[in-house]
């Protein structure tokens, strides 16, 4: 079941090695602590969420935008392009790729009016497309999660909570390190524990590496443990050290999460 469609190579195209990811991140960790970097990642995931909700985008569009953002900074330093500019750019591109209907420049700029203008977003989009090598389709844990919950026969009990946990995983590196079906299984496992649903037999019958599922669960639990003591509005201003339009690419080239699982 878990080992068939959801393990297709298409889902693994952007699954990165953790050591490679941390090696690329060292450029930022020269001037940020790991905790500060983690806080910035949560902050900008929240920014993308809030912007998407303001524009009335579906949750899957918001999730795709968040993945674009994370993929870009998995390869480039936060100083390469100001993340304050990259965040709305990712929303703009994701709305087109997910066929939501192109978010008009006017609506987007109005939503991010103090940050950027149309020209800057279009320029930023060019760099994002270049990095992505036009591989713009993003596979999320939502579809496999729905399939697993239906197979388990506990949709009403487990799906709303597991869906919210999937939403929360976009505040971590999980979408860069594991295929979507594994993230879905980990979120379902956490939901089963919280709801006191004994699903040990169901999980035992899966042809999946449970050690990796447990790795993902540990990351999720760590997120919740750290997140409960983090007020991004109070803390993040001290870490936003990148001035607007600060960009190495110029030199080289010369909120709150959605809890509605019906939005995917």
């Amino acid at each position: 079941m878990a080992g068939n469609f959801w393990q297709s190579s298409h889902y693994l195209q952007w699954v990165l090695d953790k050591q490679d990811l941390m090696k690329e991140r060292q450029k930022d960790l020269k001037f940020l602590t790991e905790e500060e970097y983690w806080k910035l990642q949560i902050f900008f995931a929240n920014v993308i969420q809030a912007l998407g909700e303001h524009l009335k985008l579906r949750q899957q569009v918001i999730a795709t935008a968040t993945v674009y953002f994370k993929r870009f900074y998995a390869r480039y330093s936060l100083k390469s392009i100001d993340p304050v500019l990259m965040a709305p750019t990712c929303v703009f591109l994701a709305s087109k790729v997910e066929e939501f209907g192109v978010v008009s420049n006017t609506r987007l700029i109005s939503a991010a009016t103090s940050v950027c203008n149309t020209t800057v977003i279009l320029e930023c989009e060019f760099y994002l497309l270049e990095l992505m090598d036009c591989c713009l389709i993003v596979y999320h844990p939502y579809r496999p999660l729905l399939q697993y919950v239906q197979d388990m026969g506990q949709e009403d009990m487990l799906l709303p909570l597991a869906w919210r946990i999937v939403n929360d995983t976009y505040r971590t590196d999980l979408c860069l390190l594991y295929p979507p079906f594994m993230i879905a299984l980990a979120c379902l496992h956490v939901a089963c524990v919280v709801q006191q649903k004994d699903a040990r037999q169901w999980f035992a019958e899966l042809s999946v590496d449970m050690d990796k599922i447990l790795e993902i669960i540990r990351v999720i639990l760590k997120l919740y443990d750290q997140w409960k003591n983090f007020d991004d509005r109070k803390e993040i201003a001290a870490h936003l050290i990148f001035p607007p339009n600060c960009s190495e690419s110029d030199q080289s080239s010369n909120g709150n999460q959605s809890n509605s699982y019906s939005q995917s």
Side-chain angles (χ1 to χ4, degrees):
M1 177 172 50
N4 298 326
F5 181 73
W6 304 117
Q7 295 189 42
S8 164
S9 60
H10 295 293
Y11 289 75
L12 304 177
Q13 186 172 5
W14 261 93
V15 175
L16 308 179
D17 179 80
K18 187 173 183 178
Q19 289 185 333
D20 291 342
L21 179 62
M22 293 307 297
K23 183 179 179 181
E24 291 290 337
R25 194 165 290 174
Q26 291 308 307
K27 291 175 286 189
D28 291 322
L29 295 180
K30 289 179 180 178
F31 54 89
L32 292 171
T33 66
E34 287 194 27
E35 182 180 4
E36 288 171 339
Y37 190 94
W38 167 78
K39 288 178 177 180
L40 281 171
Q41 290 294 315
I42 288 185
F43 173 76
F44 284 110
N46 291 344
V47 166
I48 291 170
Q49 182 75 39
L51 183 57
E53 290 178 356
H54 180 79
L55 293 167
K56 296 181 171 53
L57 303 180
R58 292 182 296 113
Q59 183 61 36
Q60 181 154 323
V61 180
I62 296 170
T64 294
T66 307
V67 172
Y68 287 170
F69 184 90
K70 287 183 171 293
R71 287 179 179 180
F72 185 87
Y73 290 109
R75 297 299 192 199
Y76 292 106
S77 165
L78 289 166
K79 280 184 150 184
S80 62
I81 290 180
D82 189 339
V84 172
L85 303 179
M86 182 57 71
T89 302
C90 291
V91 172
F92 182 61
L93 181 59
S95 70
K96 293 188 286 185
V97 172
E98 293 288 348
E99 298 181 346
F100 179 82
V102 179
V103 175
S104 73
N105 290 342
T106 303
R107 288 180 65 207
L108 183 63
I109 299 307
S110 175
T113 183
S114 63
V115 174
C116 48
N117 57 50
T118 304
T119 304
V120 172
I121 283 185
L122 294 176
E123 181 181 358
C124 200
E125 183 184 40
F126 170 80
Y127 294 117
L128 179 59
L129 287 168
E130 186 176 48
L131 168 84
M132 301 286 286
D133 194 25
C134 293
C135 298
L136 301 177
I137 302 300
V138 175
Y139 297 98
H140 295 287
Y142 301 116
R143 281 186 62 197
L145 174 64
L146 182 59
Q147 181 186 16
Y148 297 147
V149 172
Q150 290 173 341
D151 181 75
M152 191 180 285
Q154 297 291 331
E155 188 170 350
D156 291 340
M157 176 192 290
L158 298 174
L159 186 59
L161 176 57
W163 201 283
R164 290 196 294 270
I165 297 170
V166 168
N167 289 346
D168 292 342
T169 65
Y170 290 99
R171 273 79 178 166
T172 72
D173 290 329
L174 289 174
C175 63
L176 298 174
L177 300 173
Y178 298 92
F181 80 93
M182 284 190 171
I183 298 173
L185 286 170
C187 294
L188 180 56
H189 192 286
V190 174
C192 286
V193 172
V194 172
Q195 300 284 41
Q196 299 183 328
K197 161 69 177 175
D198 186 354
R200 286 175 292 182
Q201 184 61 37
W202 187 87
F203 278 96
E205 294 174 358
L206 299 177
S207 56
V208 65
D209 186 345
M210 284 305 297
D211 286 339
K212 290 191 179 296
I213 303 301
L214 292 175
E215 287 176 9
I216 297 171
I217 291 172
R218 283 193 287 270
V219 172
I220 293 171
L221 296 180
K222 182 179 179 180
L223 168 69
Y224 288 139
D225 184 57
Q226 294 176 318
W227 200 358
K228 65 185 179 184
N229 297 317
F230 173 47
D231 185 336
D232 59 353
R233 294 188 179 186
K234 290 182 179 179
E235 295 188 46
I236 206 63
H239 304 304
L240 287 177
I241 61 176
F242 312 109
N245 301 319
C246 171
S247 160
E248 289 176 359
S249 60
D250 290 342
Q251 301 168 12
S252 61
S253 64
N254 305 5
N256 292 330
Q257 71 196 37
S258 170
N259 290 335
S260 176
Y261 66 89
S262 64
Q263 292 290 315
S264 72

